[in-house]
Amino acid sequence: MIDFLNRNVFQPHPELLVFLVVALGFLVGKIRYRTIALGAVTGCLVAGLVLGAQFEIQVDDTVKNLFFIMFLFALGYRVGPQFFRGLRKDGLPQVVNAVVVCVTGLLVSWLFASLLGYGPGLGAGLMSGALTQSAAIGVAQDAIGTLPGLSPSEAKSQQNLVAVGYAVTYPLGTILCAMLLANVLPRLYRRDLAAESAVLAAELDAPDENPDEGEGYYEVVLRAYRVDRPDLVGRSVEDVERQQRELGRRIYLTAVRRDGSVLEPSQSRVLERGDTVAVSALRHDLVDFDPRTHVGPETDDVELLGYRTETLHVVASEKAQLGRTIEQVRREPFMTGVYIDKLYRAGAEYPYRLSTKVERGDTLVLTGPERLVGPAGKELGKPVPTSFATDMIWVGLGIFLGGCIGIPALTAGGVPISLSTSGGGLIMGLVFGWIRGKYPTYGNVPPGAQWFMDTLGLCLFVAVVGINAGPSFTSGLSEAGWGLLLLGAVLTVVPLLVGFLVGHHVQKIKFPVLMGVLAGGQTTTAAIGAVNETSKSQIPTLGYTIPYAVGNVLLTVWGAVIVILNH
């Protein structure tokens, strides 16, 4: 059966094998224990190694290079705003800790590879797997291909060993990182992550308020009332809302029915006795206002209560609002009747608090009446209407320019040193992502397209890597020995311990936040999930985003550095 598939299906059509590997890889990647999953990337690599060893088919390197440079551009594009934001003063402590973790990881990798005589391939595989950075595989393989003195067959053998080292060390590296940060270190220091996260959350929030989205409590309410009290008769909608705002209440009138017809929305509309008005407010403000006393009896008006609302994504860019807290922004007059539903930072939903500062490039999801949401969005930054169309001019130009700046090389000791096309793609992705954060009307890349280039791009790349390395996997593993697994475990733990000692004893970073910083510095998504689960809070994520951006860049570049050091 295998011989039939090889000769009649996969040999003339290797692309079919690639997609079979991706399908099986995503299936294997769903295997999980609690918050720790093998992941689609590792699943695709394992599936590629197994099927590659069975069918012994080589896929053209152009295919994997195409997907890899696309992935790196998308990675840089996603973390660009956070990466450059971290270089500012307020993010420097987290940046410093991430650099400590990454540099320690590189040095320990080099030490192990030197002591045991590992070549550039196995040394890079050990580092990329133990430090859980899949992107380093491709950068290392690119760097190996440019090393002088290697024949094509020797270079191919070393490139295959990168995949072997990664496949052996990555799963245990992920598990150890998650366990160390979520369980071992808190227990050694007798710290209760859940209790400390709750205390920290209370310190961050104003004592008498909650974020716009309360847990288990529907805060925004809509009611309909018939106007028959003198308090509202003869007054305009704008006058009523302004009075309530001056009294500290977030109350607004969204629609008016008169003589059986719903009138066009207008702030200058004067209310008359017998009108029916839709009143929307925060629940506690509505209770304090007591509409039955000041407006009239409550009614059930389906048409009024079903008024049209708008959800608008706004990229923060207005200088007047940057650096201000969510609490301060909420109190602005233009936010009356507008609610912050979600906040996204570095492409991921961010657990904002009232004390969270709005940063350039943040995406705020605003909800409320159409007449109010649009103006509020313009005060905060650039409203970005939901669009599924990707600006391929922006993407294509970015990848092209990145590849161009990555081609030129300097020579040190006879070894060419360059960013490579993939490294250039990463750098240009960072720059284009930063530009997008400042000028969000350019370069629309919706979440679905980012997922395709980021996740699927990387999975297709490692699938091809696995298929090509499959035939030599067994011999490569026997050459490396199972001691590689032990070395990988040590390499995972040591940088985290060094980063912890610096962060806890020198930088004095809050314990729950420090766990997030360390997970980000080692770019281990499973670890932040485990830490949040133990903390019963999203507070540790406050320390994750900036180190994650820095770690992704440094550990990816380390793929080329470790090759040069071990040559």
Side-chain angles (χ1 to χ4, degrees):
M1 179 63 177
I2 291 177
D3 185 57
F4 171 79
L5 288 173
N6 186 17
R7 287 185 294 105
N8 295 280
V9 179
F10 296 139
Q11 197 70 44
H13 303 288
E15 66 274 13
L16 298 181
L17 180 59
V18 173
F19 283 103
L20 177 61
V21 167
V22 169
L24 293 176
F26 271 78
L27 181 63
V28 172
K30 291 182 178 295
I31 299 174
R32 69 167 54 241
Y33 173 72
R34 300 183 71 176
T35 59
I36 302 175
L38 192 60
V41 175
T42 306
C44 287
L45 180 60
V46 171
L49 289 169
V50 172
L51 295 185
Q54 291 292 328
F55 297 109
E56 298 186 357
I57 290 175
Q58 293 294 298
V59 181
D60 193 303
D61 283 349
T62 302
V63 176
K64 71 181 182 68
N65 293 339
L66 173 68
F67 286 114
F68 188 61
I69 192 172
M70 182 174 68
F71 154 72
L72 283 180
F73 177 82
L75 173 63
Y77 193 83
R78 177 163 53 88
V79 305
Q82 288 301 108
F83 179 79
F84 288 106
R85 186 177 75 85
L87 301 181
R88 300 212 308 263
K89 183 177 179 180
D90 59 340
L92 278 180
Q94 295 184 7
V95 172
V96 169
N97 197 275
V99 171
V100 167
V101 170
C102 294
V103 170
T104 303
L106 175 64
L107 295 177
V108 175
S109 301
W110 183 29
L111 175 64
F112 284 170
S114 300
L115 292 177
L116 298 174
Y118 286 170
L122 204 54
L126 168 66
M127 188 205 72
S128 59
L131 300 182
T132 68
Q133 181 50 259
S134 309
I137 300 174
V139 174
Q141 289 184 331
D142 285 348
I144 290 171
T146 64
L147 290 177
L150 291 182
S151 67
S153 61
E154 289 173 331
K156 189 68 175 178
S157 176
Q158 288 296 320
Q159 288 173 332
N160 289 339
L161 284 175
V162 178
V164 172
Y166 175 90
V168 172
T169 56
Y170 178 87
L172 184 58
T174 299
I175 294 171
L176 285 176
C177 182
M179 291 179 59
L180 185 71
L181 300 182
N183 303 108
V184 178
L185 284 175
R187 289 183 181 179
L188 283 176
Y189 276 74
R190 298 180 179 178
R191 309 296 286 265
D192 187 331
L193 280 180
E196 294 194 28
S197 295
V199 171
L200 185 54
E203 292 176 357
L204 291 173
D205 274 346
D208 59 343
E209 293 196 54
N210 295 308
D212 283 323
E213 184 177 12
E215 182 177 351
Y217 182 76
Y218 187 63
E219 194 173 1
V220 180
V221 294
L222 178 64
R223 297 285 188 268
Y225 300 91
R226 188 172 67 253
V227 178
D228 68 355
R229 300 288 191 271
D231 293 30
L232 262 65
V233 174
R235 297 176 59 192
S236 68
V237 171
E238 183 179 17
D239 181 38
V240 174
E241 292 180 347
R242 182 175 59 251
Q243 181 195 46
Q244 294 306 312
R245 186 165 59 246
E246 291 172 353
L247 293 172
R249 302 183 185 127
R250 303 183 69 190
I251 293 175
Y252 56 97
L253 310 182
T254 63
V256 179
R257 179 190 293 281
R258 180 174 297 165
D259 299 327
S261 301
V262 178
L263 305 179
E264 286 293 323
S266 172
Q267 288 294 90
S268 60
R269 177 80 58 198
V270 176
L271 301 176
E272 298 179 3
R273 188 178 298 275
D275 287 349
T276 300
V277 295
V279 180
S280 182
L282 297 176
R283 183 185 294 272
H284 63 84
D285 285 341
L286 193 66
V287 171
D288 187 47
F289 176 51
D290 190 9
R292 293 186 181 184
T293 301
H294 298 285
V295 182
E298 184 172 3
T299 65
D300 184 18
D301 191 311
V302 175
E303 190 173 1
L304 283 185
L305 296 180
Y307 78 98
R308 187 174 180 182
T309 63
E310 181 177 11
T311 297
L312 185 65
H313 289 67
V314 178
V315 179
S317 59
E318 285 295 325
K319 290 184 178 180
Q321 304 304 326
L322 297 180
R324 305 187 70 202
T325 66
I326 294 292
E327 181 182 14
Q328 291 171 327
V329 171
R330 279 180 50 178
R331 294 185 182 280
E332 288 292 329
F334 62 78
M335 287 296 289
T336 300
V338 178
Y339 303 94
I340 301 173
D341 188 30
K342 294 179 181 179
L343 186 151
Y344 290 90
R345 182 169 289 174
E349 185 174 347
Y350 192 77
Y352 76 88
R353 319 293 302 181
L354 285 177
S355 58
T356 299
K357 292 184 178 180
V358 177
E359 301 291 348
R360 184 179 297 277
D362 285 351
T363 297
L364 300 171
V365 181
L366 306 182
T367 60
E370 287 179 306
R371 65 182 175 85
L372 300 177
V373 170
K378 293 178 180 178
E379 293 284 348
L380 291 169
K382 299 291 185 181
V384 183
T386 303
S387 172
F388 298 104
T390 300
D391 188 345
M392 287 308 302
I393 298 175
W394 190 256
V395 173
L397 184 63
I399 293 176
F400 170 75
L401 292 177
C404 287
I405 67 171
I407 292 174
L410 301 174
T411 301
V415 179
I417 302 174
S418 73
L419 288 172
S420 76
T421 55
S422 55
L426 173 64
I427 299 301
M428 196 54 67
L430 289 169
V431 173
F432 272 40
W434 174 74
I435 294 174
R436 164 72 173 175
K438 292 195 69 173
Y439 308 103
T441 54
Y442 296 99
N444 182 50
V445 183
Q450 288 192 37
W451 180 91
F452 179 85
M453 292 193 294
D454 192 339
T455 303
L456 188 58
L458 180 58
C459 287
L460 285 166
F461 162 75
V462 299
V464 175
V465 168
I467 291 170
N468 289 344
S472 60
F473 178 73
T474 303
S475 59
L477 186 58
S478 62
E479 176 186 334
W482 285 101
L484 182 66
L485 191 65
L486 177 61
L487 291 177
V490 176
L491 177 54
T492 297
V493 171
V494 169
L496 291 173
L497 291 179
V498 173
F500 172 77
L501 294 175
V502 171
H504 184 64
H505 296 286
V506 179
Q507 296 178 298
K508 308 296 183 183
I509 299 175
K510 299 286 187 179
F511 205 93
V513 175
L514 178 57
M515 297 301 101
V517 169
L518 295 173
Q522 203 142 306
T523 67
T524 309
T525 305
I528 190 62
V531 171
N532 284 342
E533 183 183 55
T534 302
S535 302
K536 300 177 182 178
S537 169
Q538 295 293 313
I539 283 292
T541 309
L542 299 176
Y544 180 75
T545 54
I546 291 177
Y548 178 77
V550 174
N552 266 296
V553 174
L554 291 183
L555 293 179
T556 298
V557 174
W558 283 182
V561 174
I562 194 68
V563 167
I564 295 171
L565 291 176
N566 288 331
H567 179 56

